[in-house]
Amino acid sequence: MANIMFSNHPDEPSEYEKKLIRYWAACILSEGSKIVIFTIIFYCWNKLPEFGMALLFLFLFRSCTGGLHCKSYFSCLCLSFFILLSGILLGGAIFLPKYLILILIAVLGICSYGLTPILSVNRPPATPAIIKHARKRTLIVSILLFVLLWIFSGSRYWNIGFWLFVINTIQLFTAYMIRRWRHVSVNQDVNLVS
């Protein structure tokens, strides 16, 4: 297995690979605990199916694009909750005309493609290959969402996906502007002040 994971260094991972492993381990623990907390909250509010769809869409979008990152666990918990709750509430309340949804998905997809990826400062900087891969995934997700919303517009669950795509693009643009304002490297993100 080590030979597959670390093909250049079959005996020992490189420093970059070690940093990447530590980063992903911390992410799994942090995100896992947030998911448990959110599951309890949305279960108590009888919004578990909506939360499940919102979480799926948010994971899909954020794993491609990156975006805002917070300095503390609590501020990240609050921001994530706000984003999920906003997507669920907007998805259940505001249904735009199909043509407007499709236009917005196309425009926001192009914007997301251009801004992607915005990574956490805790993650090793992105290589040109990682940037290219992230942009390709962002484009594929945008096209798939466009097609699926063309077919399933009017569904509350797909509407949650649409609004989370809008919110994700807004937070991606916000992270980009913060980064430009603070003159941070192109492939890293500025953490929010907590």
Side-chain angles (χ1 to χ4, degrees):
M1 180 72 169
N3 290 338
I4 294 170
M5 288 177 57
F6 310 110
S7 58
N8 294 334
H9 306 285
D11 299 321
E12 186 176 322
S14 69
E15 283 304 310
Y16 176 82
E17 291 166 334
K18 288 178 186 177
K19 285 181 182 179
L20 203 55
I21 290 168
R22 282 192 293 269
Y23 171 79
W24 282 109
C27 285
I28 289 169
L29 291 173
S30 174
E31 298 307 311
S33 65
K34 285 185 234 167
I35 290 170
V36 169
I37 292 167
F38 296 155
T39 300
I40 292 167
I41 291 170
F42 286 106
Y43 174 79
C44 291
W45 288 347
N46 292 322
K47 296 284 185 188
L48 206 51
E50 293 86 347
F51 164 68
M53 286 301 288
L55 186 64
L56 176 69
F57 281 114
L58 187 60
F59 172 77
L60 185 63
F61 303 147
R62 286 284 299 219
S63 67
C64 298
T65 65
L68 289 171
H69 297 275
C70 300
K71 285 187 176 181
S72 74
Y73 175 85
F74 182 73
S75 57
C76 183
L77 180 77
C78 291
L79 179 63
S80 299
F81 181 74
F82 174 75
I83 289 171
L84 287 165
L85 183 62
S86 297
I88 291 168
L89 293 177
L90 288 169
I94 301 174
F95 290 83
L96 299 176
K98 186 176 187 174
Y99 73 91
L100 187 55
I101 288 173
L102 298 177
I103 290 170
L104 284 170
I105 290 293
V107 170
L108 296 176
I110 292 167
C111 291
S112 293
Y113 176 85
L115 296 170
T116 296
I118 297 180
L119 305 176
S120 167
V121 293
N122 298 323
R123 183 175 174 161
T127 63
I130 290 172
I131 293 169
K132 183 178 179 182
H133 180 70
R135 287 185 172 168
K136 180 180 176 183
R137 287 180 55 208
T138 300
L139 185 62
I140 290 168
V141 167
S142 299
I143 291 169
L144 282 173
L145 187 62
F146 181 91
V147 170
L148 291 170
L149 283 170
W150 187 353
I151 297 168
F152 298 112
S153 66
S155 162
R156 178 177 52 156
Y157 295 111
W158 285 103
N159 204 42
I160 289 171
F162 164 73
W163 283 109
L164 279 170
F165 189 74
V166 171
I167 293 167
N168 186 70
T169 306
I170 291 168
Q171 67 83 30
L172 189 63
F173 180 73
T174 303
Y176 175 80
M177 293 308 292
I178 291 171
R179 184 182 63 200
R180 300 302 288 168
W181 178 59
R182 294 190 181 166
H183 306 290
V184 174
S185 158
V186 170
N187 56 11
Q188 287 189 342
D189 176 54
V190 175
N191 287 334
L192 292 173
V193 177
S194 43

